[in-house]
Amino acid sequence: MTTSQSEQMKVIVQALNKEPFNKSYNLISFDALEPLQRLQVLNDVLSIIDPKQSLDLREETPDQTAVRIFQLLRVLKYKPPDSVNLNQFRVGLVQGEKPIIYPILEWLLPRVPELQKRAYLAKYLLKIDVPADIMQDDEVSGIYMQYEELMEQFKELHKQSQQLASSGFNTTEIRKDITNMEEEKEQLIKRIERLRRKVESHPNSQVMMNVAKNLRVERDREKRVAVQRQEQMTNIQHLDQRIKRMENQLRDMRQASVGATPDSMVERLEEETRANGYIVKEQLPKDIASRRKMIQDLQKVVAVPAMGQSDLDDLNNQITSLNAEVNQLIEQRMRSGDPTEDKLSLFRQQAGIIAHKKEAAAAGLREMREELNKTNQEVEQKRELVSSVEGAEVLKGEDFKRYVNKLRSKSTIYKKKRSELAELRAESGVLMRTDDILNQRNQLINKQLGIVETKAGVSGYRETQENLEKVSATKSELDEVKGRTLEDMSEMVRRMHAEISERRNVLAPILREIRPLRERVQSLTPEYDDKKQVYERTSAGLESNMSKLEQEVRGFSEECRAEESRYHYLHCMMGVLRQQQERIAQEMKAYVSHDQAEKKKTLRETYSRKIQEQENLGRNLRERQKTVRENHDPNIKQMKMWRDLERILQCKTNCLEQISSIGSNLTGGRGLQMGVGEAPPTLLEDDRLVL
């Protein structure tokens, strides 16, 4: 087991031991599962995602299990690994193989909540495939349209429910918020009543109310003016960007028109028209047809049920037989092809090569156009990003150097201002401390004044006087702000008019340059149309004549090739006949010659001699065969006798070895009884004992 597979198993086992599966596996027990048990684990995981999948696999056939799991995996948008083809995936899933089941479990387990939602939606959003002939019925089509409308309503309602669920509000929180808002409302009402009574008791209440009302109106008006100003600034930025785009387009058009003539422009347009026409009329229909065929093939593959190994073997055998049949037909065609067809195949091959080149060029053109469009979009996005962030385009060359110098000067000014700001902050700290001390003294003085006013019977006089002074000061400030706002608006409008007039002055010479060119184009357009019609008529006549001449040339060329092939064939046949004639002349010369050595070199003598040798050899072989047949039985008998003799000698040898081993064992016990020179007894005195 590899490291990657062990890590895969570890992740799967950890996920299965958690909620909602609550399994009790470890790596050893999970790896030791049988294929059916492994497939049951996969089915249990799928049943958590879709409760309809909850069943025992022993209650259904393997084909039904495979179809059911395939359909659910297709709904969940599971993609098999690239190293496994579709047939291997189907067979491995049916047989519960580890390399197929483990990647599926590893993909499913981390995505259970998401896949549960997908399975729930698929139950209501998967459209029913209705055949086209049935859809021709008006009632069926109306019901199907109603079905699609209900499906759209379900989508909208589901989105709303998801938004409400994700908003984080519930009824208790809303009620609590309403209660809090009502309490705050009551408190505000009480506070407003208290302030109203306090204001009404004041002698200058009406004047102060009018002033406050005017203040509120002016603030609202100030907000509206600020919004309008922001809108105007935004419009100015959009107009600046549009002017820059137009200037860039004009610059590009001028660069493209440098050295261009009407003829070159017309040729370029015609070339683009031809290329686009080829793409639209030939390339795109082929692409569409190939995509449709691929979709049909995929639909067929999806519709085919699970295949076993026997089905795959049958298909492979069928493919092999069809390939062999195709090869035989090609060989027959090559053998039976006439020379004219062989010559035409060259032109067909050239036409095919040219067609492939055109397709490759069209594909390259389409890719380059897509890349150009993508690059233009990226450039526009970068320009918009730069203009939105910095308010200007990307600088290059001298502009960039000037921008760097400007940044350096700004950096120097920034450092200077920062030092001044530090000094001002230090001074502000001192002033704040002074202000605190003065406020403390002011509070003491106010307390003393309050005591004096109370003693004099005019309490609150100073506060009222200060409020009136504050209101008057606020009014004067508002008047100043209003005046400044009006001045700023008038200045901005004047600046906008000046900028617009300046842009008009800049664009005026460009428009004056373009105006005669437009007039010239309008004057040349009728002439161009007339010459184009003449050219098209002349071109059509020349093409018709050229097609006729090409047909005649093609016919003459085919006739010439046929005659050339016939000439070469006859020339070869004449060479063969010439060689045969020379051989016959040599044979006749040798046969008529009186020289025996020359006669022996003739084919007749040579073949006669070889025939005689073969006859003698056959005769000798027949005699040997006869001798072998006659001596076969005696030889077999003699061979059996020799074999029996060999067995007898082998048996004697074995007996001698046994006797010698027995004698050596008995020598020690009988040595005292034997006299000097007495030979020991032996069993070889009589050969019958051995036998």
Side-chain angles (χ1 to χ4, degrees):
M1 184 169 58
T2 61
T3 306
S4 61
Q5 191 173 1
S6 63
E7 293 293 331
Q8 197 176 42
M9 287 177 57
K10 188 183 296 183
V11 172
I12 294 170
V13 169
Q14 290 177 357
L16 289 174
N17 292 334
K18 297 178 181 178
E19 292 287 342
F21 306 104
N22 297 325
K23 303 289 185 180
S24 58
Y25 291 125
N26 53 29
L27 293 177
I28 298 173
S29 62
F30 185 73
D31 187 57
L33 292 177
E34 296 294 330
L36 184 60
Q37 296 175 346
R38 202 177 298 120
L39 195 60
Q40 184 65 49
V41 171
L42 175 60
N43 190 80
D44 294 341
V45 175
L46 293 176
S47 65
I48 296 296
I49 296 171
D50 186 5
K52 293 192 299 184
Q53 309 295 327
S54 178
L55 52 88
D56 193 351
L57 297 181
R58 292 172 294 183
E59 297 177 357
E60 63 178 0
T61 61
D63 293 338
Q64 294 175 351
T65 303
V67 171
R68 180 172 54 80
I69 295 177
F70 287 152
Q71 289 177 354
L72 184 57
L73 291 178
R74 185 170 68 247
V75 169
L76 300 178
K77 294 184 178 180
Y78 171 74
K79 293 181 179 180
D82 297 333
S83 60
V84 180
N85 57 29
L86 190 58
N87 293 329
Q88 292 177 355
F89 179 73
R90 290 180 176 179
V91 175
L93 184 60
V94 172
Q95 296 177 358
E97 296 179 356
K98 296 179 182 178
I100 304 299
I101 301 297
Y102 286 174
I104 299 175
L105 291 173
E106 186 182 14
W107 185 82
L108 291 174
L109 291 172
R111 302 177 175 86
V112 170
E114 177 186 354
L115 297 177
Q116 285 177 345
K117 180 179 177 182
R118 185 185 296 277
Y120 168 73
L121 293 176
K123 183 169 61 174
Y124 301 103
L125 297 181
L126 279 179
K127 291 187 177 181
I128 301 171
D129 294 331
V130 181
D133 53 352
I134 298 177
M135 284 294 294
Q136 292 178 359
D137 190 359
D138 295 336
E139 185 177 358
V140 175
S141 62
I143 294 172
Y144 194 78
M145 291 175 64
Q146 186 179 2
Y147 164 70
E148 291 180 345
E149 292 176 357
L150 292 173
M151 189 177 292
E152 294 296 329
Q153 292 178 5
F154 175 77
K155 290 181 182 178
E156 295 296 330
L157 293 174
H158 182 71
K159 288 181 181 178
Q160 294 177 6
S161 65
Q162 290 295 321
Q163 291 175 359
L164 291 174
S166 61
S167 61
F169 295 111
N170 52 25
T171 57
T172 57
E173 292 180 355
I174 293 171
R175 290 175 181 173
K176 189 182 294 183
D177 292 338
I178 291 171
T179 306
N180 295 330
M181 290 171 69
E182 288 178 352
E183 292 177 356
E184 290 178 359
K185 181 180 177 182
E186 292 177 356
Q187 292 176 2
L188 288 172
I189 291 170
K190 292 178 180 178
R191 187 176 180 184
I192 291 169
E193 290 294 331
R194 189 167 56 250
L195 291 172
R196 183 178 296 170
R197 288 194 299 269
K198 185 177 180 181
V199 170
E200 288 177 353
S201 63
H202 200 277
N204 296 324
S205 62
Q206 191 64 34
V207 177
M208 293 175 67
M209 290 293 291
N210 292 330
V211 171
K213 183 178 180 181
N214 293 329
L215 177 62
R216 186 170 59 252
V217 172
E218 292 299 330
R219 284 183 177 176
D220 294 338
R221 184 179 177 186
E222 183 182 1
K223 289 181 181 178
R224 290 197 298 271
V225 170
V227 172
Q228 291 178 0
R229 183 181 180 184
Q230 186 64 32
E231 290 178 355
Q232 293 294 331
M233 294 297 292
T234 306
N235 293 329
I236 290 171
Q237 290 180 0
H238 289 316
L239 290 173
D240 290 338
Q241 293 176 4
R242 185 177 179 185
I243 290 170
K244 289 176 183 178
R245 285 198 300 269
M246 297 298 292
E247 289 177 352
N248 293 329
Q249 291 179 4
L250 182 61
R251 185 171 61 251
D252 295 338
M253 291 177 67
R254 284 181 176 177
Q255 291 177 359
S257 62
V258 172
T261 60
D263 295 334
S264 62
M265 294 175 68
V266 170
E267 289 178 358
R268 187 168 67 250
L269 289 173
E270 288 180 350
E271 184 177 357
E272 290 181 359
T273 304
R274 285 196 296 271
N276 293 329
Y278 172 76
I279 292 172
V280 172
K281 294 179 181 179
E282 297 184 12
Q283 188 68 27
L284 289 178
K286 290 182 181 178
D287 293 342
I288 292 170
S290 62
R291 296 289 176 85
R292 287 178 178 173
K293 187 175 183 300
M294 183 176 66
I295 291 171
Q296 291 176 359
D297 295 338
L298 292 175
Q299 289 177 352
K300 290 180 181 178
V301 170
V302 171
V304 171
M307 301 176 67
Q309 188 63 34
S310 60
D311 298 331
L312 295 175
D313 295 337
D314 295 337
L315 289 175
N316 290 326
N317 296 329
Q318 188 177 359
I319 291 169
T320 305
S321 62
L322 290 174
N323 289 330
E325 187 176 355
V326 169
N327 293 329
Q328 291 177 1
L329 292 174
I330 292 171
E331 291 177 358
Q332 291 178 4
R333 181 183 176 187
M334 293 175 64
R335 287 196 298 269
S336 63
D338 54 0
T340 58
E341 289 294 332
D342 294 336
K343 299 298 180 181
L344 288 175
S345 63
L346 179 63
F347 292 98
R348 290 195 186 97
Q349 187 177 4
Q350 292 178 354
I353 293 171
I354 293 170
H356 288 306
K357 288 182 178 179
K358 287 176 70 177
E359 292 177 357
L365 178 61
R366 188 168 61 253
E367 290 177 358
M368 293 299 291
R369 284 183 176 176
E370 291 177 356
E371 186 175 358
L372 177 61
N373 294 330
K374 189 184 295 182
T375 306
N376 290 332
Q377 292 177 0
E378 291 179 358
V379 169
E380 289 298 329
Q381 291 176 0
K382 297 294 183 182
R383 285 178 178 172
E384 292 178 358
L385 180 61
V386 171
S387 62
S388 63
V389 174
E390 300 178 359
E393 293 185 351
V394 179
L395 302 177
K396 297 180 181 178
E398 296 296 331
D399 296 335
F400 182 72
K401 290 181 180 178
R402 286 195 294 271
Y403 179 68
V404 171
N405 293 329
K406 188 176 179 181
L407 284 179
R408 287 175 181 171
S409 63
K410 287 184 178 180
S411 177
T412 305
I413 295 170
Y414 166 73
K415 291 179 181 177
K416 184 178 179 181
K417 297 292 183 183
R418 188 173 61 180
S419 62
E420 293 178 358
L421 181 62
E423 294 175 358
L424 291 173
R425 284 177 178 171
E427 187 177 357
S428 174
V430 175
L431 293 174
M432 287 175 68
R433 177 59 181 163
T434 305
D435 184 56
D436 291 337
I437 295 170
L438 293 174
N439 286 329
Q440 291 175 3
R441 290 180 181 178
N442 188 22
Q443 289 177 1
L444 292 173
I445 292 169
N446 288 332
K447 288 180 181 179
Q448 293 175 2
L449 286 174
I451 295 168
V452 173
E453 288 176 355
T454 304
K455 289 179 179 180
V458 287
S459 61
Y461 173 77
R462 189 170 177 278
E463 293 179 358
T464 305
Q465 188 67 27
E466 289 178 355
N467 291 330
L468 289 174
E469 290 176 357
K470 288 181 181 178
V471 169
S472 61
T474 305
K475 184 177 182 303
S476 61
E477 289 177 359
L478 287 174
D479 293 336
E480 291 177 1
V481 170
K482 207 182 339 180
R484 286 198 301 269
T485 304
L486 292 173
E487 290 176 359
D488 292 339
M489 290 179 65
S490 60
E491 180 66 22
M492 183 178 64
V493 171
R494 186 184 61 76
R495 199 165 52 247
M496 288 173 62
H497 284 295
E499 190 173 357
I500 290 170
S501 61
E502 184 181 354
R503 296 294 173 85
R504 285 179 179 173
N505 294 329
V506 172
L507 292 174
I510 298 172
L511 295 173
R512 284 196 297 272
E513 291 178 3
I514 293 174
R515 192 176 295 112
L517 293 175
R518 288 179 178 174
E519 294 176 356
R520 187 180 178 188
V521 169
Q522 291 177 359
S523 61
L524 291 176
T525 300
E527 184 179 357
Y528 164 73
D529 293 335
D530 296 336
K531 289 185 178 181
K532 185 177 180 181
Q533 292 177 0
V534 174
Y535 167 76
E536 289 177 353
R537 288 196 296 270
T538 307
S539 177
L542 292 175
E543 286 180 356
S544 61
N545 294 330
M546 189 182 295
S547 62
K548 292 180 182 178
L549 292 174
E550 286 178 353
Q551 290 178 359
E552 293 179 359
V553 170
R554 197 178 295 111
F556 289 141
S557 299
E558 291 176 357
E559 186 177 356
C560 180
R561 292 191 192 92
E563 293 297 332
E564 286 180 357
S565 62
R566 187 167 178 272
Y567 164 74
H568 291 302
Y569 175 73
L570 294 175
H571 183 71
C572 293
M573 292 299 295
M574 287 176 65
V576 172
L577 293 174
R578 194 179 295 112
Q579 293 292 330
Q580 292 179 357
Q581 188 175 3
E582 290 177 359
R583 186 66 182 272
I584 291 170
Q586 291 176 3
E587 187 73 16
M588 291 295 295
K589 183 178 179 181
Y591 184 74
V592 177
S593 177
H594 296 287
D595 190 2
Q596 296 297 326
E598 290 292 334
K599 283 188 175 182
K600 289 181 179 179
K601 293 180 181 180
T602 60
L603 293 174
R604 182 177 180 181
E605 292 295 330
T606 302
Y607 285 120
S608 298
R609 186 169 59 255
K610 289 184 178 180
I611 289 169
Q612 186 65 34
E613 290 176 357
Q614 294 296 324
E615 288 179 352
N616 294 332
L617 181 61
R619 191 179 301 110
N620 293 332
L621 291 174
R622 283 194 294 273
E623 289 177 357
R624 288 181 62 186
Q625 183 181 9
K626 183 179 179 182
T627 304
V628 169
R629 286 179 178 175
E630 290 176 353
N631 297 328
H632 179 263
D633 294 337
N635 289 336
I636 291 296
K637 187 175 181 181
Q638 186 69 26
M639 186 176 67
K640 290 176 68 176
M641 292 172 66
W642 280 106
R643 194 173 295 160
D644 294 340
L645 180 62
E646 184 180 3
R647 290 172 63 189
I648 290 170
L649 294 174
Q650 184 67 33
C651 184
K652 285 185 177 182
T653 305
N654 294 333
C655 292
L656 284 173
E657 291 176 356
Q658 293 177 0
I659 291 170
S660 62
S661 62
I662 294 170
S664 62
N665 292 328
L666 297 176
T667 303
R670 305 173 77 179
L672 298 174
Q673 298 177 3
M674 289 187 299
V676 178
E678 186 179 356
T682 180
L683 296 176
L684 296 177
E685 293 177 355
D686 192 355
D687 289 337
R688 288 178 296 178
L689 293 175
V690 177
L691 295 176

